[in-house]
Amino acid sequence: NAGVTQTPKFRVLKTGQSMTLLCAQDMNHEYMYWYRQDPGMGLRLIHYSVGEGTTAKGEVPDGYNVSRLKKQNFLLGLESAAPSQTSVYFCASSPLRLAGLGDQETQYFGPGTRLLVL
Amino acid sequence: AQSVTQLDSQVPVFEEAPVELRCNYSSSVSVYLFWYVQYPNQGLQLLLKYLSGSTLVKGINGFEAEFNKSQTSFHLRKPSVHISDTAEYFCAVRHASGGSYIPTFGRGTSLIVHP
């Protein structure tokens, strides 16, 4: 049981290049999330998904796109990278929210992807 | 809308001393509250959570937190810290029912334990 994995771990891009970050989870979770972490800003939600084939915008969606074609995978795309997108990106997943089942409320995080855009 | 304020961006403390990391939240409905820990170069992992019941919640690694509804606080405490507790700590809140089920995170508190 690998939990949540992220690919790649590190990446350096030039301004204007594109790339896709892959998140995979083997816990059969319904919900998946993409966050970015910047110094002094904490975690900010980029996009999230409540199930296969569905996605929604979070707090800072501009410049990013996502897809959830399979339940276990959540892809984050940068179509034209900018220096402002230099950050550490975290993927997370959580089970379907059901009232009265406390463990359903926990998010499980991947190890992160460090992205530098020059 | 819900929000979380972590009042200290950095908390330095000596090994074996007690520590309190402060978290206040704002919400118009009942909430679930969480503390996550992030060790250097790692992802976040759950430390403890309050969903209902006893307002004193015990978590992993000797940490505990107390939910205070009147003061809208969920402060994290440990009676004696270790060097290995050096990490970033995040408080998070989400609606318990209705509203958004997406948690909101605070900006984090960096706990630095000195020998």
Side-chain angles (χ1 to χ4, degrees):
Chain A
N1 192 334
V4 180
T5 58
Q6 293 183 232
T7 309
K9 289 185 170 54
F10 306 95
R11 186 72 184 269
V12 179
L13 289 178
K14 294 181 180 178
T15 296
Q17 287 185 316
S18 63
M19 77 164 294
T20 300
L21 282 67
L22 171 63
C23 175
Q25 53 96 2
D26 60 2
M27 297 173 282
N28 201 34
H29 286 171
E30 291 292 334
Y31 300 157
M32 297 187 75
Y33 317 78
W34 274 109
Y35 293 91
R36 60 178 290 174
Q37 183 181 31
D38 302 291
M41 300 297 291
L43 287 171
R44 292 183 291 170
L45 183 66
I46 304 172
H47 286 280
Y48 64 97
S49 169
V50 302
E52 183 178 321
T54 69
T55 63
K57 294 180 180 179
E59 181 186 355
V60 289
D62 294 341
Y64 305 95
N65 56 73
V66 288
S67 65
R68 183 106 180 262
L69 299 179
K70 293 182 179 180
K71 185 178 183 179
Q72 63 268 35
N73 296 337
F74 195 30
L75 279 63
L76 178 70
L78 285 72
E79 290 185 347
S80 179
S84 60
Q85 294 177 304
T86 292
S87 187
V88 181
Y89 292 86
F90 287 99
C91 176
S93 70
S94 61
L96 183 65
R97 176 179 179 235
L98 293 172
L101 296 177
D103 284 345
Q104 311 295 61
E105 308 300 338
T106 300
Q107 284 182 304
Y108 296 82
F109 284 82
T113 294
R114 295 180 182 275
L115 176 65
L116 173 62
V117 182
L118 301 174
Chain B
Q2 64 210 19
S3 66
V4 178
T5 302
Q6 291 185 243
L7 297 160
D8 306 296
S9 59
Q10 209 171 72
V11 173
V13 65
F14 286 110
E15 194 174 18
E16 297 184 7
V19 71
E20 178 179 84
L21 305 183
R22 297 180 293 168
C23 172
N24 285 89
Y25 69 92
S26 172
S27 177
S28 57
V29 298
S30 59
V31 296
Y32 294 152
L33 293 154
F34 308 82
W35 276 100
Y36 285 84
V37 59
Q38 182 183 31
Y39 297 107
N41 299 312
Q42 294 185 28
L44 280 71
Q45 57 182 281
L46 183 70
L47 203 53
L48 50 79
K49 61 188 174 186
Y50 170 79
L51 304 180
S52 65
S54 173
T55 57
L56 183 62
V57 181
K58 294 189 184 297
I60 61 172
N61 300 338
F63 283 93
E64 63 181 34
E66 185 154 20
F67 170 54
N68 188 319
K69 188 175 181 180
S70 62
Q71 297 188 3
T72 60
S73 68
F74 191 54
H75 300 333
L76 181 70
R77 303 185 184 100
K78 186 170 182 178
S80 176
V81 294
H82 302 288
I83 295 288
S84 59
D85 292 323
T86 294
E88 192 84 12
Y89 292 80
F90 292 92
C91 183
V93 63
R94 53 159 286 184
H95 289 150
S97 61
S100 172
Y101 50 80
I102 304 297
T104 298
F105 284 82
R107 294 193 172 193
T109 297
S110 179
L111 176 63
I112 303 169
V113 181
H114 296 283

